[in-house]
Amino acid sequence: MVVLQTALLLVASNVFMTFAWYAHLKNLNDKPWWIAALVSWGIALFEYLLQVPANRIGYTALTLGQLKILPEIITLSVFVPFAVLYMREPLKLDYLWAALCLVGAAYFMFRDSTPG
């Protein structure tokens, strides 16, 4: 239950962070960079309000390495649909190769689930 709660909070936080980092490229492209930065910081606040509790909860059941890899996997899982559906980028085979690399990273971090 702790891992699921952590993952769900991290998914929600990553949605906010993905929009904070990249949506301004589409929506605020005609505005000065500092306006985009202020809007992004405002969006990122919600990311932190979810990410910090997610890490605190997750650290009760996951190792630090596992807690680092989990958001990386989530990031790609959130970014690909964002890039394709929201930013209208073409779906590339490179996303699959990146995902396979993350599968390898997850394997090495989670193969020994004993903390420490």
Side-chain angles (χ1 to χ4, degrees):
M1 187 65 172
V2 167
V3 175
L4 178 62
Q5 187 178 12
T6 300
L8 291 174
L9 284 168
L10 288 173
V11 167
S13 75
N14 198 273
V15 169
F16 281 106
M17 201 63 205
T18 300
F19 274 89
W21 282 8
Y22 302 109
H24 65 88
L25 298 173
K26 179 179 180 180
N27 301 328
L28 300 173
N29 200 24
D30 58 338
K31 305 288 185 211
W33 72 266
W34 60 270
I35 291 175
L38 290 173
V39 171
S40 293
W41 286 342
I43 296 169
L45 171 65
F46 296 100
E47 185 269 342
Y48 283 105
L49 291 174
L50 296 167
Q51 179 266 336
V52 170
N55 282 339
R56 289 173 154 262
I57 292 165
Y59 195 59
T60 65
L62 298 169
T63 66
L64 188 60
Q66 292 168 339
L67 199 54
K68 176 60 183 161
I69 290 301
L70 185 58
E72 300 303 331
I73 295 164
I74 290 168
T75 295
L76 189 61
S77 301
V78 168
F79 179 77
V80 172
F82 172 84
V84 173
L85 300 173
Y86 187 78
M87 296 296 287
R88 304 285 186 213
E89 294 281 325
L91 183 61
K92 297 179 181 180
L93 197 54
D94 289 341
Y95 293 132
L96 174 63
W97 305 136
L100 289 174
C101 290
L102 287 173
V103 167
Y107 168 77
F108 287 111
M109 285 302 195
F110 285 91
R111 68 181 168 161
D112 179 20
S113 60
T114 307

